[in-house]
């Protein structure tokens, strides 16, 4: 296993290896299987980053369930902020139990938009399952983040679905950026 990698002159070191990731996913899967045993949940993965996590998670889910993927689209309007729209949802969610699957929750802005869009569809419940969360970066309060793989510091991470300029999603481990001496003094 390679503990250090360089991408476009940025250095990264191993943060979480795949064995740790898989152990955490197994535990999350056991909990979901028990809690949603008779509820036929719908797992909704937020693309692009969730694809590896969601694939491995659903291998651990042994109860009947459905799945779909969505993508957030940003539009620059006249206001200073982005308006986000949920794209790709083509199933009736009214009265259903939803489990949003995220790769990482940083500020929580994207999750907030995803939840608002789903709540408009009159779902019965929404739970959030995320591989990574950065508690120090959170700008919103959520009471339904029920499943978290790992809490991490405010650091830039890649691998296992997380990208840097579209690259590194395919890495099986998660790496964190390590500033070089000259980067720290800038």
């Amino acid at each position: 296993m390679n503990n250090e990698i360089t991408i476009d002159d940025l250095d990264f070191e191993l943060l979480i290896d795949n064995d740790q990731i898989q152990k955490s996913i197994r535990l999350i899967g056991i909990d979901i299987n028990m809690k949603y045993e008779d509820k036929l949940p719908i797992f909704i993965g937020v693309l692009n980053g969730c694809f590896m996590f969601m694939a491995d998670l659903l291998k651990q889910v042994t109860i009947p369930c459905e799945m779909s993927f969505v993508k957030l689209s940003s539009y620059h309007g006249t206001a200073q902020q982005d308006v986000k729209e949920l794209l790709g949802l083509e199933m009736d969610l009214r009265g259903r139990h939803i489990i949003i699957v995220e790769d990482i929750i940083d500020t929580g802005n994207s999750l907030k938009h995803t939840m608002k869009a789903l709540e408009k569809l009159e779902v019965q419940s929404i739970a959030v399952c995320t591989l990574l969360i950065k508690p120090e970066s959170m700008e919103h309060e959520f009471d339904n983040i029920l499943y978290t793989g790992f809490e991490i510091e405010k650091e830039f991470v890649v691998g296992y679905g997380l990208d840097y300029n579209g690259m590194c999603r395919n890495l099986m481990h998660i790496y964190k950026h390590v500033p070089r001496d000259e980067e720290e003094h800038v």
Side-chain angles (χ1 to χ4, degrees):
M1 169 175 42
N2 193 358
N3 289 332
E4 296 178 2
I5 58 174
T6 300
I7 308 153
D8 284 348
D9 293 328
L10 292 182
D11 295 326
F12 294 85
E13 68 182 16
L14 183 67
L15 178 63
I16 306 169
D17 72 30
N18 193 267
D19 287 341
Q20 292 173 287
I21 294 168
Q22 297 308 317
K23 285 177 189 171
S24 182
I25 291 172
R26 275 192 295 278
L27 293 174
I28 292 169
I30 289 167
D31 198 3
I32 289 172
N33 287 331
M34 290 187 328
K35 183 169 184 184
Y36 289 88
E37 186 175 13
D38 298 320
K39 296 183 178 171
L40 189 65
I42 300 176
F43 290 83
I44 297 181
V46 181
L47 294 173
N48 287 334
C50 81
F51 77 99
M52 286 181 82
F53 175 47
M54 187 150 160
D56 286 345
L57 175 64
L58 287 175
K59 291 173 191 171
Q60 301 300 320
V61 174
T62 57
I63 59 170
C65 64
E66 295 179 63
M67 62 176 274
S68 186
F69 291 93
V70 295
K71 190 165 187 151
L72 285 172
S73 176
S74 300
Y75 297 96
H76 300 284
T78 55
Q80 295 270 351
Q81 64 188 32
D82 291 346
V83 176
K84 299 197 178 188
E85 180 184 359
L86 214 52
L87 302 176
L89 200 54
E90 299 174 0
M91 52 194 333
D92 183 9
L93 301 180
R94 191 170 307 127
R96 300 293 303 272
H97 296 279
I98 308 301
I99 301 173
I100 299 171
V101 181
E102 288 269 14
D103 55 346
I104 187 168
I105 299 174
D106 195 329
T107 62
N109 290 331
S110 294
L111 178 58
K112 182 179 172 188
H113 288 288
T114 302
M115 289 184 50
K116 278 185 178 180
L118 290 172
E119 287 167 355
K120 289 178 186 174
L121 300 175
E122 301 175 25
V123 300
Q124 185 167 343
S125 70
I126 300 175
V128 179
C129 177
T130 184
L131 179 62
L132 302 173
I133 191 167
K134 296 181 183 180
E136 293 177 26
S137 300
M138 297 285 288
E139 296 177 5
H140 306 280
E141 293 284 327
F142 298 97
D143 59 2
N144 58 346
I145 300 175
L146 302 183
Y147 308 101
T148 300
F150 303 92
E151 288 187 5
I152 62 171
E153 303 292 322
K154 285 183 166 182
E155 49 202 356
F156 178 51
V157 292
V158 299
Y160 198 75
L162 300 147
D163 75 308
Y164 169 61
N165 290 339
M167 298 179 289
C168 304
R169 290 189 194 277
N170 60 310
L171 299 175
M172 64 187 292
H173 309 292
I174 297 173
Y175 297 84
K176 71 175 181 178
H177 176 244
V178 181
R180 295 180 183 157
D181 289 336
E182 62 270 14
E183 288 179 45
E184 293 174 354
H185 297 95
V186 175

